[in-house]
Amino acid sequence: MKPAAASPERVRPRPGRAGSGEPRRPALSDRLPRAWLFPLLVFAATWVLILATWYASDKIYGQRHPWTWHFLYKDALWYLDIARHGYPARLVPGTPSEPTAFFPLFPLLIRLAGDALAGNLAVGGLVVSILAGALSALAVWTLAARVCDRRVADHAVALYCLFPGAMTFGMLYSEPLTVAIGAAVLLALLRRRWLLAGILGAAGTAEAPTMIVLAAVSGAAALQAIWSRREWRALIAPALTPAGVLAFFGYLGHRYHDDAFWFQVERSGWGQHLDWGKQTLHILLWADLGAHKYKFVSALYVIMLIASAAGIVMMLAARLPVPVSLYGVLMVATFVVSPANPRPRYVLCAFPLFIGAAAKLPRVVYWPLLAVCAAGLVFLTAWWPHHYYGPAPLGPGQGRGRASRRCPCPGAVTA
């Protein structure tokens, strides 16, 4: 009698441990009735930590703020305005046009949830944010379990949920949705579900400008499939993926009679453009404008760059599948080659780095690092909204931008 074939996930060796002969230690998720409950429990614990930090920070600063003061912070107000009013019907000379820089999928979900809750957009946004965060944790865990094993997946999702950039779990920001879609696309590509990958990719490119990297990732996966298996159907994924961003740019071009309208808003309204790493180099050399005035912010950016570089090294050493590694590298590149600055929430979107770190870090390093990440998450969640110290350090030609927008804490730097 021919023995049944083993599951591919079970026979795939863990990166960096092949041939070691070590017995596989049981994962924490193996002890639960359903292993996929583990990332949801970690996400729930992170939310409890964020709520506790909100309460404790108000006590420390002698304030009594409602939950919306913490949740509807900075960019959250842009998303809320778009969900409520949509994009401006027409632009009046001299008025800000920055709302058009934000992609439509996240505000659309907020609007749908708000309408389902009798028009309460704040609560609708909270529901969308929690669901997106929970799905992102589940998707990262599932992807890590597929390319490595459950033990690596458990460690990866813990790093992801406790990384300082996870403060966006408690803010109406789109990063958790970005991660959820990105991980879902990678899973679809690895499972060769090309149509699903293309549809999800199109949703992703309608969610954030950085998600255009999915087109390159899908293209690489398609070329790999065609080269190895002559699977021409794989071209569906890269063909469909840009549909979201093209539809949005087409909408803006028709509405404002300028096909390059979004790029002009990014440059003039937000100071964003390709500078091929000039701003990043200034940050590393401590030569950025405001580096000495805002020393903590500048030091944080340097730490994020170092963490990103180390994450890329570990991710490549872990020999993850090409689409996964390529996604991680390209997401880091999106904030290295532009003046976006390496904020923790941008590094969070490069989630394959956490999978690589979980696969390669020894236990004696992993657990202290996780504790440091958790401490950083608590500190940033508590400190950032309360700290009044003026506008964010801006590069040359960035006279306008985030500080020009009203926010619950005027002038605070965006994390």
Side-chain angles (χ1 to χ4, degrees):
M1 181 176 178
K2 186 177 179 179
S7 168
E9 288 81 358
R10 293 299 184 185
V11 299
R12 183 184 292 108
R14 286 181 296 181
R17 289 179 169 84
S20 65
E22 296 179 4
R24 179 183 179 274
R25 290 190 295 270
L28 293 174
S29 56
D30 289 334
R31 303 173 186 178
L32 297 174
R34 294 289 185 272
W36 52 264
L37 290 173
F38 181 83
L40 299 181
L41 291 174
V42 175
F43 172 76
T46 303
W47 244 105
V48 170
L49 183 63
I50 289 173
L51 288 174
T53 303
W54 286 356
Y55 178 80
S57 65
D58 278 352
K59 289 288 187 181
I60 291 171
Y61 284 90
Q63 304 290 332
R64 294 184 63 181
H65 294 120
W67 66 272
T68 51
W69 188 87
H70 298 272
F71 184 66
L72 301 178
Y73 178 69
K74 295 289 275 188
D75 286 0
L77 294 176
W78 292 105
Y79 289 121
L80 207 62
D81 282 350
I82 297 170
R84 180 176 290 114
H85 304 296
Y87 295 101
R90 62 188 182 90
L91 298 178
V92 178
T95 60
S97 57
E98 288 91 338
T100 52
F102 291 87
F103 276 41
L105 181 60
F106 191 55
L108 175 62
L109 294 177
I110 295 171
R111 177 60 180 267
L112 294 175
D115 288 346
L117 295 168
N120 193 326
L121 291 179
V123 177
L126 179 63
V127 171
V128 170
S129 180
I130 291 176
L131 289 178
L135 288 174
S136 72
L138 181 60
V140 169
W141 182 88
T142 304
L143 178 64
R146 180 176 179 82
V147 301
C148 299
D149 60 26
R150 285 182 180 175
R151 183 170 171 272
V152 171
D154 292 351
H155 287 185
V157 78
L159 270 177
Y160 166 71
C161 287
L162 293 177
F163 187 74
M167 64 185 294
T168 53
F169 288 166
M171 302 161 67
L172 192 60
Y173 274 46
S174 66
E175 278 72 18
L177 182 60
T178 298
V179 173
I181 295 176
V185 170
L186 291 177
L187 280 167
L189 292 174
L190 294 179
R191 292 169 178 169
R192 295 160 56 190
R193 297 182 179 178
W194 309 114
L195 179 59
L196 178 61
I199 293 172
L200 291 173
T205 58
E207 195 276 325
T210 55
M211 293 293 272
I212 193 60
V213 303
L214 288 173
V217 172
S218 299
L223 289 176
Q224 193 176 35
I226 293 171
W227 179 265
S228 60
R229 298 183 299 274
R230 299 295 186 269
E231 195 170 355
W232 294 95
R233 190 171 182 271
L235 291 173
I236 294 175
L240 289 179
T241 294
V245 64
L246 292 177
F248 180 54
F249 285 175
Y251 165 80
L252 292 181
H254 175 75
R255 194 174 185 86
Y256 303 115
H257 311 290
D258 185 352
D259 293 334
F261 183 82
W262 183 85
F263 297 96
Q264 295 178 17
V265 168
E266 279 288 282
R267 177 179 284 273
S268 64
W270 295 88
Q272 297 300 315
H273 58 278
L274 284 177
D275 68 354
W276 304 108
K278 180 180 178 181
Q279 174 79 356
T280 300
L281 183 61
H282 285 172
I283 291 172
L284 285 172
L285 297 178
W286 212 258
D288 183 39
L289 295 178
H292 296 282
K293 184 176 181 180
Y294 306 118
K295 294 181 180 179
F296 170 72
V297 176
S298 299
L300 178 64
Y301 290 166
V302 171
I303 292 172
M304 290 298 105
L305 287 172
I306 295 173
S308 299
I312 288 177
V313 170
M314 288 184 286
M315 179 183 67
L316 296 178
R319 293 185 294 177
L320 303 180
V322 171
V324 179
S325 296
L326 182 60
Y327 182 90
V329 171
L330 291 179
M331 287 302 288
V332 171
T334 59
F335 60 77
V336 169
V337 300
S338 71
N341 294 330
R343 298 184 174 98
R345 60 190 176 97
Y346 295 162
V347 181
L348 185 77
C349 293
F351 57 87
L353 274 59
F354 302 116
I355 301 177
K360 298 304 295 182
L361 285 176
R363 297 171 65 187
V364 70
V365 176
Y366 171 81
W367 292 108
L369 176 63
L370 186 66
V372 170
C373 285
L377 171 62
V378 169
F379 178 80
L380 289 182
T381 302
W383 179 81
W384 221 288
H386 287 278
H387 208 66
Y388 291 71
Y389 65 88
L394 302 175
Q398 298 184 49
R400 293 176 62 197
R402 300 179 190 275
S404 67
R405 174 66 169 168
R406 62 179 179 83
C407 64
C409 178
V413 178
T414 303

